[in-house]
Amino acid sequence: MQLVVARIGRAHGIKGEVTVEVRTDEPELRLAPGAVLATDPASAGPLTIATGRVHSGRLLLRFEGVADRTGAEALRNTLLIADVDPEEMPEDEDEYYDHQLIDLDVVTEDGTEVGRITEISHLPSQDLFIVERPDGSEVLIPFVEEIVSEIDLDEQRAVITPPPGLIDDRAEIASARDEAADASARDEDEGA
C-alpha cells in the first residue's frame, strides 16, 4: 500500500534542501535519512532522503543526487509516497491511516445511514471526511472527537454525532433577534 507522506515545497538555500509539507503523523519514521520514497510524478523519483532537519518550524530535506538550488526547485510540488504494509497500524490507538478510513460506512448513533467515506481531506486546522450520500451528493464531516464518536474497523463503520445542520441542511438557528421578532408577531396577532 502506498501513502502520500509529504509534498515538496520551495527550495531552501543553495545546497539542494527543500521545504516539505508533512502529510503523515509519523515523519520521524517515514521521512528519516535513508528512506527511499516513490514520487508523483513518477519521473521525479524514486528519491532517497540524505538529510533532514527542522528550521523555523519547517522540515527541510535534502535528497541524494540533488546538490543545488536548481535541482531542488525542479522537485517543487512533487508528492512523496511511502510503501506501507496494509496491516500496519499507527502507534497511537486513536490514529488511523487514510486507507483504513476510505470506504467506511458513516452512520449516526441511532444507526441512520449517512453515506460512505470516499476521501480524507487534510486541512491545516483539522481533517475532513468527504462522505458520499446514497443520493450521490457529498457532505463534509470534520474528523474531530466531538463529532466522530467511534471508528469501528471490524464493522467497517464510523459513528457520528452531527450537530444540527451538518448533514440535514436544516440548521437550528436561534438568536435573541429571532425570538424578539416572534414575540412581536404574537403580540400583534393577539392585539388584532
Side-chain angles (χ1 to χ4, degrees):
M1 162 119 340
Q2 294 191 318
L3 298 176
V4 174
V5 294
R7 183 182 65 79
I8 297 176
R10 60 182 175 78
H12 180 83
I14 60 171
K15 295 184 179 179
E17 283 186 313
V18 294
T19 62
V20 294
E21 174 189 311
V22 177
R23 295 190 180 177
T24 176
D25 291 335
E26 301 168 319
E28 65 285 345
L29 175 65
R30 308 283 180 218
L31 301 172
V36 179
L37 302 167
T39 59
D40 182 7
S43 60
L47 294 172
T48 301
I49 298 175
T51 63
R53 67 185 177 102
V54 176
H55 175 72
S56 298
R58 299 275 288 168
L59 179 60
L60 302 178
L61 297 178
R62 191 176 54 76
F63 300 100
E64 291 180 7
V66 179
D68 60 19
R69 184 174 187 88
T70 303
E73 196 60 44
L75 295 172
R76 192 175 197 155
N77 292 321
T78 299
L79 296 177
L80 299 175
I81 303 166
D83 281 318
V84 178
D85 180 347
E87 301 300 316
E88 183 180 328
M89 298 289 288
E91 290 180 16
D92 187 342
E93 66 182 42
D94 291 332
E95 291 180 2
Y96 303 93
Y97 293 129
D98 288 3
H99 72 272
Q100 295 173 304
L101 301 171
I102 300 293
D103 288 332
L104 290 185
D105 293 323
V106 178
V107 298
T108 61
E109 287 190 331
D110 66 6
T112 303
E113 179 185 7
V114 176
R116 181 181 56 82
I117 299 173
T118 58
E119 187 179 339
I120 312 295
S121 179
H122 300 281
L123 302 177
S125 59
Q126 68 192 15
D127 295 335
L128 290 175
F129 290 160
I130 299 174
V131 177
E132 183 178 320
R133 295 176 169 190
D135 67 5
S137 64
E138 288 184 340
V139 63
L140 304 178
I141 297 177
F143 187 19
V144 294
E145 190 175 344
E146 296 80 20
I147 296 174
V148 180
S149 57
E150 179 185 357
I151 298 290
D152 187 337
L153 296 178
D154 293 331
E155 294 291 322
Q156 287 291 291
R157 69 182 185 147
V159 179
I160 65 169
T161 307
L166 182 66
I167 61 172
D168 59 12
D169 299 331
R170 294 183 299 275
E172 296 173 17
I173 301 171
S175 71
R177 190 174 347 149
D178 292 340
E179 291 171 6
D182 291 344
S184 176
R186 278 194 301 273
D187 290 345
E188 287 178 14
D189 288 345
E190 290 172 3

